[in-house]
Amino acid sequence: MTITADALDTAHLPFAARGPLSEAVIRHLSGAGSTDLTALARDAVDASADVLHDDDIQLALFSLYASAYGSVGAFDPRLEWDVHAIAARSAIEEEFERAIRGVVDVPPLPEQTPDAIARALFHLTSADDGPSLSRFVARKATTAQLREFLMQRSVYTLREADPHSWAIPRLHGRAKASLVEIQSDEYGGGRPDRVHAAIFAASMRGAGLDDTYGAYVDDVPAITLASHNMMSMFGLNRRLIGAIVGHLAAFEMTSSIPNRLYGDGFRRLGYGPDVTDYFDEHVEADAVHEQIAARDLAGSLGEDRPDLLPDIMFGAAACLALDGMVAAHMLERWSADESSLRQQDEA
């Protein structure tokens, strides 16, 4: 049995639990109850056949991270560093990281120079043969599918750049300056109306969707949550600083052309600049960002900290792998004329 905001007697809880672990986490973070979260977390990961696609586990982890971001108003800020919540998060993260490493093929390590690292990253991203969601959107997607696309993307994009910003205080020198340069653009360069998350929110409104953060969490599958959770795990754990840098590099390097195609797909179905502005903004911005991310950020970090190079490449490969899983899920459902959102029997 799931719980609702009314049952918790809290305001602004935008999603319901998907099982006993996420129910306990939501109740705990809302100050509506307390239980042994660590034992529940360990039991859940031990019993799960596939952590990456486990609705209960992924929503529980998403909720624990949401407390750190401050993105769910119903979660009591005094519980952000609650020892029980952090212990449960660590128990889930241990198995989550193991599951990601189990599905990711990390390429051979390049030489420890910025140019060699950048070349390796460009080779990795250009060789990615994952399903092309962007081409489908450009050529075939229906209006209903485009709305689903925005709903799926909203879990990350309404908080765009935030997971990677956790890395800023953990970096130094060239890598830190390069990340700040990228993030400054992501946050609008001092213009609140050009913050990328705000531009995406405008796209959602233009498509007739709710731009409230978390409004569609109930609708997205576990793998969509897992993709965002992976970014949060990399960003929030200092030991994974290399992975979040590698993730950002791959993220930026696979953004410019897909966003042009996404924009074309929306234009094909008659949407105007109020919706396409977000995608058009990223065509030019990310063509610049990919160079900074590959050479100046990942390349300089790998040169200055050779011990982090394995995780830089892992983070890049993990980005491609989980984004590919999300795309494969959407394309599989759409190719069967089905919704990519959670069905009634999954909720």
Side-chain angles (χ1 to χ4, degrees):
M1 178 180 177
T2 59
I3 53 177
T4 65
D6 289 340
L8 286 172
D9 194 27
T10 55
H12 311 303
L13 186 63
F15 48 82
R18 300 187 185 184
L21 177 59
S22 55
E23 180 170 352
V25 167
I26 290 170
R27 292 187 68 86
H28 187 86
L29 293 175
S30 302
S34 182
T35 188
D36 189 347
L37 293 182
T38 308
L40 276 175
R42 288 175 177 156
D43 288 345
V45 298
D46 287 346
S48 180
D50 183 355
V51 169
L52 298 179
H53 292 87
D54 191 303
D55 275 300
D56 191 26
I57 290 173
Q58 291 301 330
L59 183 64
L61 189 55
F62 175 84
S63 299
L64 289 162
Y65 290 141
S67 178
Y69 286 112
S71 54
V72 176
F75 291 163
D76 189 338
R78 293 170 296 184
L79 295 173
E80 177 186 354
W81 294 104
D82 173 75
V83 294
H84 304 291
I86 296 301
R89 195 183 90 185
S90 297
I92 299 171
E93 285 178 337
E94 181 178 355
E95 186 58 34
F96 184 41
E97 182 182 349
R98 183 180 296 115
I100 295 170
R101 291 187 183 273
V103 300
V104 170
D105 293 324
V106 180
L109 299 184
E111 294 181 16
Q112 298 161 3
T113 67
D115 283 346
I117 294 168
R119 284 196 302 271
L121 289 169
F122 276 109
H123 177 74
L124 176 66
T125 54
S126 64
D128 179 40
D129 58 358
S132 180
L133 183 64
S134 59
R135 283 199 294 271
F136 184 93
V137 167
R139 300 170 184 173
K140 298 180 180 181
T142 65
T143 298
Q145 289 166 347
L146 289 182
R147 286 167 56 86
E148 287 187 13
F149 170 75
L150 292 175
M151 293 162 71
Q152 296 267 15
R153 287 297 173 99
S154 69
V155 175
Y156 163 68
T157 313
L158 288 175
R159 292 211 68 93
E160 182 166 356
D162 289 351
H164 301 106
S165 290
W166 295 112
I168 292 174
R170 285 109 184 252
L171 294 172
H172 305 277
R174 294 177 295 170
K176 188 188 194 89
S178 300
L179 179 55
V180 169
E181 182 179 359
I182 293 170
Q183 298 303 80
S184 178
D185 284 347
E186 299 288 345
Y187 294 126
R191 296 177 55 191
D193 60 312
R194 300 310 296 169
V195 172
H196 287 183
I199 304 174
F200 185 79
S203 294
M204 295 192 72
R205 294 192 299 272
L209 297 171
D210 187 347
D211 68 345
T212 304
Y213 186 77
Y216 297 108
V217 166
D218 274 340
D219 299 294
V220 304
I223 192 61
T224 299
L225 297 179
S227 177
H228 181 56
N229 286 341
M230 179 177 68
M231 285 187 261
S232 299
M233 179 175 69
F234 289 170
L236 279 165
N237 285 277
R238 185 162 55 93
R239 64 184 176 80
L240 293 171
I241 182 65
I244 192 62
V245 165
H247 185 286
L248 178 58
F251 198 81
E252 296 292 346
M253 295 163 72
T254 55
S255 176
S256 183
I257 294 174
N259 273 296
R260 175 175 58 79
L261 293 172
Y262 293 140
D264 289 345
F266 280 93
R267 276 184 285 271
R268 174 175 58 82
L269 292 178
Y271 288 99
D274 58 330
V275 173
T276 62
D277 183 28
Y278 171 84
F279 305 102
D280 296 339
E281 167 73 15
H282 283 71
V283 173
E284 182 176 349
D286 289 348
V288 175
H289 289 174
E290 69 177 21
Q291 300 294 330
I292 301 171
R295 291 185 172 81
D296 303 330
L297 174 56
S300 65
L301 181 62
E303 182 177 52
D304 294 343
R305 291 282 309 275
D307 59 304
L308 296 180
L309 187 52
D311 266 357
I312 292 173
M313 300 306 296
F314 160 66
C319 174
L320 300 178
L322 263 69
D323 282 359
M325 289 183 185
V326 175
H329 165 81
M330 296 172 71
L331 289 173
E332 180 181 354
R333 287 289 184 89
W334 289 347
S335 296
D337 292 324
E338 298 175 354
S339 171
S340 68
L341 304 177
R342 293 175 74 224
Q343 305 304 299
Q344 193 64 37
D345 59 350
E346 298 174 306

